[in-house]
Amino acid sequence: MRQNYLRIFDTTLRDGEQSPGASLTSAEKLEIARSLARLGVDIIEAGFPAASPDDLEAVRRIAVEVGNPTPGNNGLYGQTPVICGLARANKHDIDAAWQAVQYAAHPCIHTFLATSPIHMEYKLHMSPETVLERVRDMVSYAHSFCQDIEFSPEDAARSDPEFLYRVLAVAIAAGATTLNIPDTVGYSTPEEFGALISGIIANTEGIEKAVVSTHCHNDLGLATANTIAGIKAGARQVEVTINGIGERAGNTSLEEVVMTLHTRRSMFGLETGVDTTQITRVSRMVSNYTGIPVQPNKAVVGANAFAHEAGIHQDGMLKHQSTYEIMRPETVGISKSRLVMGKHSGRHALKVHLQELGYELSDEELAVAFESYKKLADKKKEVTDADLEALIGDQVSLSEEVFSLDGLQVTCGTMGMPTASVRLLGPDGAMHVQAAVGTGPVHAVYKAIDAIVGVENNLVEFNIHAVTDGIDAQGEVTVRLMAQNGGTHHRTSPQSEALISKTYGGYGADTDIVVASAKAYLAALNKVLISRGQKSEKEEMQAVLMTA
Ligand code: KIV
Ligand code: ZN
C-alpha cells in the first residue's frame, strides 16, 4: 500500500446502524452501500451477519451487487470496494460473516475480542492467556476462508499496551492483515491515542505486514481529534461513519476526517479515494433513511456549515472568499439550486441526469421515477438536484410497501376541528378508508392511518424541512417510531450483547407537507409490518391465540 494513501473504512451500515434508533431496510442499506461505493470509500462494513438471517441476507446482497465491478459502483480511482462483515471471535459468527461476504470480489472478515482488564474480567470472564489463545484460533479460522482479515482488540484504549502488543502479534501471525485499534467507549484523548498507535507500530512483532487502523467513538466529542492523532502517528486506515452516527454518541465522522485531510493537505500530505463532491448527497441519504437528523451546526454537513454566505460575514466574504471560508460549498457537493430539468424533459434526460447523480435505476424504477418527476414538474417551476434526490429517497422508502397511500384529504385551520380522511391500498388488494379528528392535520392523518394499519406505536421523532429554497419547495419529513409489543422488535448489540430497542424510521417528500408526513409515517409502519412478517397487531394476536 502507498504510504501516502489513507484507506477509508466506512462502518455506517454496521456501527452506524447500532445507533439508538437507526434501523434500515435492506433496500435502504443497498442504496447507501451503492452511494458509499460512488463516494469512493475503500471498505464497506456492511453489517453483522450473525445477528439474524435478515442481516446476513442484507450483507450478502451488498456483496453481490456492490462488491463486484459494475458500472457506477466504482470509487474515484475505479476500485470496487472491499465488503466486510463483522464477527465476534467465535466460529458461528465467522461462518455467518463468510457466508455473506464471500460473493464480493474483495471480501473481508472483521473479528474482534476485548483486551482491556475490565472487559476480560466482567464481560468475557476470560484470563489474558485464554484471550491470546482465542485470538490465535479465531483469526486463523477466519483466515482459512478469506485472505483479508481485520482484527480489533475491543476497548484497546483501556488495555495494557504491553498485553496489546502481544495480542496483536498473535493476530498477525495467525493471518490478520489489518489491526484496528478501537477506543470503544470514547475515553481517550488525542495525545494518549496518538501515543497508543505509535507504541503499537514501534513494539508489535510483524507489524510491517499489517495496516494499522483507528476506530474512535465520540463520547467526549474527541473522536475526530483522536483519529487525526492516530493518522499522525502512522495509522493508514480510519474507521468512520457518515454524519458520525454510531453507538451512543457515535463514531468518527467520515466527512470531518476527509475534509480535514483535504483542507490541510500540505500539512498531512495524504490522499484518500473519496470524491468529496458526493459528501452532502450521502449525508442527506443517511439522515433520511435512518431518521437521524444532522444537527444544524455539524461540521461540513450541517445546514449552517456554509450559511455565512447569507449571514453577518457577507461583507467580508464579498471582499475576499477566504476571509471566512476554508472550504468551498461545491467541494462537498452543495450545488446552489441548480436548475436541472424542465417540465418537458424526457425520460432519457431524467435517466442520464440520475446517473450523473449516482443513481442506477432499473427500467421499472425509472418508469416510477419519471411519473413522480412529471407530477413534481407540474407543481414546481424548477426541479433541482435536491428535488430529484428527495424524489428518489421517497421511492426507495416506498419500495417495500405493505400499505400504500392512495388518497388523503384534510380540513384544518382556525375555524374548526382538524379532520383527515385517508385511503390506503392494503396488502389484500382492498382499499381501506378511515377518517379521524386530531389536534392538527398531521395528528388527524396519523390517527386515521392507525385505524387502518393497526400498529400500536410511540412516535419518538418527527422532523420536517424544506428540500430547497423557495415558497414552492418540497417538504421532506423523517419520523422514527417505536412499536409496542416488544418481542421481535429488539436486536442485539454485537459488543455489549444488550438488547437494543428497535425504532423504525420513515421518510417522505412531497410539495404538500401533510402528504409528506403521511408517507413518512406509513413507510415506518410498513417497516414494522415487514419485520413482523406483514401481520397487523390484530392478526398477530389472532395467530398467537390460535396456536395457544
Ligand atoms: O467500538 C468498537 O470496539 C467496535 C469493534 C467491534 C471494532 O465497534
Ligand atoms: Zn465501535
Side-chain angles (χ1 to χ4, degrees), residues 14-15 18 86 110 112 150 152-155 180 182-185 215 217 239 251 495:
R14 198 280 295 171
D15 218 327
Q18 284 170 227
L86 183 72
H110 174 193
F112 70 98
E150 170 165 311
S152 296
E154 192 189 6
D155 206 17
N180 176 49
D183 180 13
T184 302
V185 291
H215 179 112
H217 279 268
E239 300 206 350
N251 288 63
Q495 291 162 262

mmCIF file of all heavy atoms in Angstrom, residues 14-15 18 86 110 112 150 152-155 180 182-185 215 217 239 251 495, ligand 1:
data_model
loop_
_atom_site.group_PDB
_atom_site.id
_atom_site.type_symbol
_atom_site.label_atom_id
_atom_site.label_comp_id
_atom_site.label_asym_id
_atom_site.label_seq_id
_atom_site.Cartn_x
_atom_site.Cartn_y
_atom_site.Cartn_z
ATOM 1 N N ARG A 14 -22.847 -0.767 9.822
ATOM 2 C CA ARG A 14 -22.669 -1.683 10.961
ATOM 3 C C ARG A 14 -22.680 -0.886 12.271
ATOM 4 O O ARG A 14 -23.678 -0.844 12.962
ATOM 5 C CB ARG A 14 -21.378 -2.501 10.769
ATOM 6 C CG ARG A 14 -21.340 -3.752 11.632
ATOM 7 C CD ARG A 14 -20.938 -3.484 13.067
ATOM 8 N NE ARG A 14 -19.560 -2.991 13.167
ATOM 9 C CZ ARG A 14 -19.054 -2.530 14.295
ATOM 10 N NH1 ARG A 14 -19.759 -2.495 15.414
ATOM 11 N NH2 ARG A 14 -17.816 -2.056 14.325
ATOM 12 N N ASP A 15 -21.598 -0.184 12.588
ATOM 13 C CA ASP A 15 -21.595 0.570 13.849
ATOM 14 C C ASP A 15 -22.656 1.665 13.782
ATOM 15 O O ASP A 15 -23.345 1.958 14.763
ATOM 16 C CB ASP A 15 -20.213 1.175 14.111
ATOM 17 C CG ASP A 15 -19.838 1.137 15.583
ATOM 18 O OD1 ASP A 15 -20.751 1.264 16.414
ATOM 19 O OD2 ASP A 15 -18.649 0.999 15.905
ATOM 20 N N GLN A 18 -25.913 0.550 14.670
ATOM 21 C CA GLN A 18 -26.084 0.288 16.106
ATOM 22 C C GLN A 18 -26.504 1.552 16.864
ATOM 23 O O GLN A 18 -26.672 1.518 18.077
ATOM 24 C CB GLN A 18 -24.775 -0.250 16.705
ATOM 25 C CG GLN A 18 -24.497 -1.700 16.355
ATOM 26 C CD GLN A 18 -23.093 -2.158 16.743
ATOM 27 O OE1 GLN A 18 -22.393 -2.770 15.968
ATOM 28 N NE2 GLN A 18 -22.667 -1.860 17.967
ATOM 29 N N LEU A 86 -18.836 -8.145 10.101
ATOM 30 C CA LEU A 86 -18.326 -8.242 11.479
ATOM 31 C C LEU A 86 -18.663 -9.608 12.080
ATOM 32 O O LEU A 86 -19.738 -10.161 11.820
ATOM 33 C CB LEU A 86 -18.947 -7.140 12.352
ATOM 34 C CG LEU A 86 -18.436 -7.100 13.797
ATOM 35 C CD1 LEU A 86 -16.999 -6.583 13.866
ATOM 36 C CD2 LEU A 86 -19.332 -6.238 14.690
ATOM 37 N N HIS A 110 -14.109 -9.259 9.615
ATOM 38 C CA HIS A 110 -13.608 -8.435 10.726
ATOM 39 C C HIS A 110 -14.014 -9.120 12.026
ATOM 40 O O HIS A 110 -15.196 -9.204 12.346
ATOM 41 C CB HIS A 110 -14.252 -7.039 10.622
ATOM 42 C CG HIS A 110 -13.944 -6.133 11.780
ATOM 43 N ND1 HIS A 110 -14.630 -4.967 12.008
ATOM 44 C CD2 HIS A 110 -13.020 -6.214 12.776
ATOM 45 C CE1 HIS A 110 -14.152 -4.374 13.083
ATOM 46 N NE2 HIS A 110 -13.179 -5.103 13.575
ATOM 47 N N PHE A 112 -13.379 -9.599 16.339
ATOM 48 C CA PHE A 112 -12.893 -8.790 17.463
ATOM 49 C C PHE A 112 -13.027 -9.532 18.782
ATOM 50 O O PHE A 112 -13.868 -10.422 18.935
ATOM 51 C CB PHE A 112 -13.650 -7.456 17.541
ATOM 52 C CG PHE A 112 -15.091 -7.586 17.973
ATOM 53 C CD1 PHE A 112 -15.475 -7.358 19.306
ATOM 54 C CD2 PHE A 112 -16.077 -7.941 17.068
ATOM 55 C CE1 PHE A 112 -16.796 -7.476 19.698
ATOM 56 C CE2 PHE A 112 -17.412 -8.068 17.454
ATOM 57 C CZ PHE A 112 -17.770 -7.832 18.769
ATOM 58 N N GLU A 150 -9.466 -8.580 9.260
ATOM 59 C CA GLU A 150 -9.205 -7.480 10.189
ATOM 60 C C GLU A 150 -9.468 -7.995 11.606
ATOM 61 O O GLU A 150 -10.467 -8.665 11.861
ATOM 62 C CB GLU A 150 -10.141 -6.307 9.873
ATOM 63 C CG GLU A 150 -10.082 -5.231 10.938
ATOM 64 C CD GLU A 150 -10.709 -3.923 10.502
ATOM 65 O OE1 GLU A 150 -10.393 -3.449 9.402
ATOM 66 O OE2 GLU A 150 -11.507 -3.382 11.281
ATOM 67 N N SER A 152 -9.781 -6.632 15.672
ATOM 68 C CA SER A 152 -9.863 -5.486 16.589
ATOM 69 C C SER A 152 -9.784 -5.954 18.031
ATOM 70 O O SER A 152 -10.605 -6.779 18.456
ATOM 71 C CB SER A 152 -11.206 -4.759 16.445
ATOM 72 O OG SER A 152 -11.350 -4.211 15.179
ATOM 73 N N PRO A 153 -8.838 -5.438 18.805
ATOM 74 C CA PRO A 153 -8.843 -5.693 20.246
ATOM 75 C C PRO A 153 -9.820 -4.681 20.874
ATOM 76 O O PRO A 153 -9.464 -3.511 21.051
ATOM 77 C CB PRO A 153 -7.397 -5.410 20.655
ATOM 78 C CG PRO A 153 -6.892 -4.463 19.611
ATOM 79 C CD PRO A 153 -7.700 -4.628 18.376
ATOM 80 N N GLU A 154 -11.017 -5.146 21.161
ATOM 81 C CA GLU A 154 -12.039 -4.212 21.638
ATOM 82 C C GLU A 154 -11.574 -3.529 22.923
ATOM 83 O O GLU A 154 -10.903 -4.142 23.750
ATOM 84 C CB GLU A 154 -13.348 -4.989 21.895
ATOM 85 C CG GLU A 154 -14.533 -4.077 22.113
ATOM 86 C CD GLU A 154 -15.768 -4.825 22.587
ATOM 87 O OE1 GLU A 154 -15.674 -6.041 22.851
ATOM 88 O OE2 GLU A 154 -16.819 -4.180 22.722
ATOM 89 N N ASP A 155 -11.937 -2.276 23.084
ATOM 90 C CA ASP A 155 -11.547 -1.465 24.244
ATOM 91 C C ASP A 155 -10.023 -1.335 24.352
ATOM 92 O O ASP A 155 -9.464 -1.282 25.451
ATOM 93 C CB ASP A 155 -12.135 -2.052 25.543
ATOM 94 C CG ASP A 155 -12.303 -0.985 26.621
ATOM 95 O OD1 ASP A 155 -12.278 0.222 26.296
ATOM 96 O OD2 ASP A 155 -12.458 -1.354 27.797
ATOM 97 N N ASN A 180 -7.119 -3.155 13.788
ATOM 98 C CA ASN A 180 -7.941 -1.970 14.031
ATOM 99 C C ASN A 180 -7.955 -1.680 15.525
ATOM 100 O O ASN A 180 -8.237 -2.566 16.334
ATOM 101 C CB ASN A 180 -9.355 -2.243 13.514
ATOM 102 C CG ASN A 180 -10.285 -1.098 13.808
ATOM 103 O OD1 ASN A 180 -9.948 0.049 13.536
ATOM 104 N ND2 ASN A 180 -11.431 -1.393 14.385
ATOM 105 N N PRO A 182 -9.606 0.100 18.485
ATOM 106 C CA PRO A 182 -10.783 0.864 18.882
ATOM 107 C C PRO A 182 -10.638 1.586 20.217
ATOM 108 O O PRO A 182 -10.095 1.037 21.177
ATOM 109 C CB PRO A 182 -11.886 -0.203 19.019
ATOM 110 C CG PRO A 182 -11.263 -1.515 18.681
ATOM 111 C CD PRO A 182 -9.785 -1.339 18.763
ATOM 112 N N ASP A 183 -11.141 2.806 20.229
ATOM 113 C CA ASP A 183 -11.415 3.467 21.503
ATOM 114 C C ASP A 183 -12.923 3.261 21.690
ATOM 115 O O ASP A 183 -13.737 4.142 21.421
ATOM 116 C CB ASP A 183 -11.047 4.952 21.424
ATOM 117 C CG ASP A 183 -11.325 5.673 22.745
ATOM 118 O OD1 ASP A 183 -11.550 4.978 23.766
ATOM 119 O OD2 ASP A 183 -11.345 6.921 22.749
ATOM 120 N N THR A 184 -13.257 2.080 22.154
ATOM 121 C CA THR A 184 -14.641 1.604 22.151
ATOM 122 C C THR A 184 -15.594 2.504 22.925
ATOM 123 O O THR A 184 -16.745 2.680 22.557
ATOM 124 C CB THR A 184 -14.668 0.171 22.742
ATOM 125 O OG1 THR A 184 -13.799 -0.625 21.935
ATOM 126 C CG2 THR A 184 -16.053 -0.431 22.781
ATOM 127 N N VAL A 185 -15.115 3.061 24.036
ATOM 128 C CA VAL A 185 -16.013 3.851 24.881
ATOM 129 C C VAL A 185 -15.707 5.358 24.804
ATOM 130 O O VAL A 185 -16.198 6.134 25.610
ATOM 131 C CB VAL A 185 -15.981 3.364 26.350
ATOM 132 C CG1 VAL A 185 -16.624 1.998 26.466
ATOM 133 C CG2 VAL A 185 -14.552 3.333 26.887
ATOM 134 N N HIS A 215 -10.363 3.416 15.231
ATOM 135 C CA HIS A 215 -11.827 3.276 15.345
ATOM 136 C C HIS A 215 -12.207 4.001 16.639
ATOM 137 O O HIS A 215 -12.092 3.456 17.723
ATOM 138 C CB HIS A 215 -12.189 1.785 15.405
ATOM 139 C CG HIS A 215 -13.649 1.518 15.552
ATOM 140 N ND1 HIS A 215 -14.415 0.947 14.551
ATOM 141 C CD2 HIS A 215 -14.513 1.721 16.585
ATOM 142 C CE1 HIS A 215 -15.663 0.817 14.960
ATOM 143 N NE2 HIS A 215 -15.758 1.282 16.198
ATOM 144 N N HIS A 217 -14.726 6.329 19.158
ATOM 145 C CA HIS A 217 -16.097 6.738 19.499
ATOM 146 C C HIS A 217 -16.064 8.135 20.098
ATOM 147 O O HIS A 217 -15.032 8.621 20.565
ATOM 148 C CB HIS A 217 -16.752 5.696 20.413
ATOM 149 C CG HIS A 217 -17.270 4.533 19.613
ATOM 150 N ND1 HIS A 217 -18.557 4.486 19.141
ATOM 151 C CD2 HIS A 217 -16.660 3.404 19.170
ATOM 152 C CE1 HIS A 217 -18.725 3.366 18.448
ATOM 153 N NE2 HIS A 217 -17.586 2.692 18.444
ATOM 154 N N GLU A 239 -11.605 4.136 10.564
ATOM 155 C CA GLU A 239 -12.978 3.629 10.536
ATOM 156 C C GLU A 239 -13.899 4.781 10.924
ATOM 157 O O GLU A 239 -13.729 5.409 11.984
ATOM 158 C CB GLU A 239 -13.121 2.437 11.479
ATOM 159 C CG GLU A 239 -12.174 1.333 11.057
ATOM 160 C CD GLU A 239 -12.599 -0.072 11.452
ATOM 161 O OE1 GLU A 239 -13.561 -0.219 12.231
ATOM 162 O OE2 GLU A 239 -11.947 -1.017 10.989
ATOM 163 N N ASN A 251 -19.590 7.587 16.160
ATOM 164 C CA ASN A 251 -18.222 7.275 15.725
ATOM 165 C C ASN A 251 -17.593 8.539 15.119
ATOM 166 O O ASN A 251 -18.271 9.553 14.930
ATOM 167 C CB ASN A 251 -18.259 6.216 14.613
ATOM 168 C CG ASN A 251 -18.638 4.837 15.108
ATOM 169 O OD1 ASN A 251 -19.734 4.637 15.607
ATOM 170 N ND2 ASN A 251 -17.746 3.891 14.988
ATOM 171 N N GLN A 495 -21.498 -6.101 20.537
ATOM 172 C CA GLN A 495 -20.472 -5.884 21.543
ATOM 173 C C GLN A 495 -20.992 -6.120 22.954
ATOM 174 O O GLN A 495 -20.581 -7.037 23.636
ATOM 175 C CB GLN A 495 -19.908 -4.484 21.398
ATOM 176 C CG GLN A 495 -19.115 -4.358 20.124
ATOM 177 C CD GLN A 495 -18.941 -2.909 19.768
ATOM 178 O OE1 GLN A 495 -19.665 -2.359 18.957
ATOM 179 N NE2 GLN A 495 -17.990 -2.286 20.415
HETATM 180 O O1 KIV B 1 -16.167 0.142 19.126
HETATM 181 C C1 KIV B 1 -15.697 -1.000 18.951
HETATM 182 O O2 KIV B 1 -14.875 -1.502 19.712
HETATM 183 C C2 KIV B 1 -16.204 -1.748 17.808
HETATM 184 C C3 KIV B 1 -15.479 -3.003 17.477
HETATM 185 C C4 KIV B 1 -16.410 -4.094 17.042
HETATM 186 C C5 KIV B 1 -14.443 -2.701 16.449
HETATM 187 O O3 KIV B 1 -17.116 -1.321 17.143
#
